[in-house]
Amino acid sequence: TADSTQTLGIKWAAPSGGFAYSVLSAPPALSSFTQVNFQSGTTIVQDATTSVIEMAVPYQGSLNWQLATVSVPSTPWRVQAFINLAQLNQNNSPGNTSTGGLYISDGTKLEGIEIESQGNAGSAVQDQLRVEEMNSVTSDQAQIYGAFVNSLSTGPARGMYVAFCDDGTNIKAEFSLNGTIWHALSSQSVGAWLTPTTSGFGGLSAGSSGLTEYVSLGGWQIQTSGVTCN
């Protein structure tokens, strides 16, 4: 039955029936997304009841960001997503890295709002919220924002709201704890690094050894009117 009650960030009775895992709209049909740089063993599935989409990204010996993307509209626009991650590749080995989050791309270069989980020899795994630039899906470039945030560490009951906002002049990366109050992470002039043509979600699992990373898209929304960048 239809019930708009919201509890602990879960919106019951999504428009398509069942429930969604965020205050955002349920993800669109899986067929709406284009697979980018999927490697052997990578899978992506959509739950028929909730519309949640999950990508399984197996360990790779080198950097391979694997994404599911859609085209972005003309500016201004705002892409918001609710993303959960289960990063299982660490084994506390130094140099092992897995990341996942929301991305924008111009077809070659990328920028991502990611949770990065990196193993450190003899110590606990460190989780970092970062905004990262990539030269391509196989080449990293630079981190333009980064902070270790334990409250955003991975787990089945946790996730993050993230957004890219392009007002035609600047591109801003943002995050939110609740999907309604947003905080700016970084801001760049359009074209300074890239001029986005697509946006999507995904991640990578790389290093000297590792297991599979799971990235779940529980909410998705593209705004083209009343767009506000923080």
Side-chain angles (χ1 to χ4, degrees):
T1 60
D3 184 351
S4 60
T5 301
Q6 295 184 25
T7 306
L8 298 177
I10 298 174
K11 181 187 291 183
W12 300 95
S16 58
F19 59 93
Y21 287 103
S22 80
V23 299
L24 303 178
S25 300
L30 181 58
S31 58
S32 302
F33 291 87
T34 298
Q35 298 177 8
V36 178
N37 194 42
F38 272 33
Q39 301 296 298
S40 176
T42 299
T43 61
I44 186 168
V45 296
Q46 184 167 37
D47 181 74
T49 301
T50 64
S51 297
V52 169
I53 300 174
E54 183 176 279
M55 184 187 302
V57 182
Y59 156 78
Q60 302 287 324
S62 59
L63 297 180
N64 272 291
W65 274 272
Q66 301 173 58
L67 311 174
T69 66
V70 299
S71 297
V72 297
S74 301
T75 56
W77 54 261
R78 179 182 180 86
V79 175
Q80 303 177 144
F82 180 71
I83 295 175
N84 274 303
L85 302 132
Q87 299 165 327
L88 305 176
N89 80 332
Q90 301 308 318
N91 301 324
N92 264 9
S93 298
N96 284 351
T97 298
S98 59
T99 69
L102 179 68
Y103 299 85
I104 51 177
S105 175
D106 63 4
T108 300
K109 294 185 290 186
L110 294 84
E111 184 174 322
I113 309 170
E114 303 180 309
I115 287 291
E116 178 197 36
S117 187
Q118 187 162 25
N120 294 277
S123 63
V125 171
Q126 295 185 7
D127 290 339
Q128 179 181 208
L129 175 66
R130 71 179 189 177
V131 181
E132 190 80 356
E133 296 175 342
M134 304 83 163
N135 296 308
S136 70
V137 291
T138 60
S139 174
D140 202 5
Q141 166 62 17
Q143 179 176 285
I144 59 176
Y145 174 89
F148 293 106
V149 188
N150 290 335
S151 63
L152 288 178
S153 60
T154 61
R158 294 175 177 167
M160 60 177 181
Y161 289 93
V162 286
F164 278 110
C165 190
D166 185 343
D167 62 8
T169 301
N170 297 299
I171 301 171
K172 295 190 176 183
E174 306 173 12
F175 91 99
S176 172
L177 296 176
N178 45 54
T180 56
I181 301 171
W182 292 87
H183 308 279
L185 299 175
S186 67
S187 178
Q188 292 180 301
S189 299
V190 174
W193 174 243
L194 55 72
T195 300
T197 57
T198 63
S199 181
F201 79 105
L204 67 80
S205 178
S208 57
S209 64
L211 302 174
T212 298
E213 174 191 40
Y214 298 91
V215 186
S216 175
L217 181 68
W220 179 262
Q221 195 166 320
I222 299 180
Q223 297 178 346
T224 57
S225 61
V227 172
T228 300
C229 301
N230 293 288

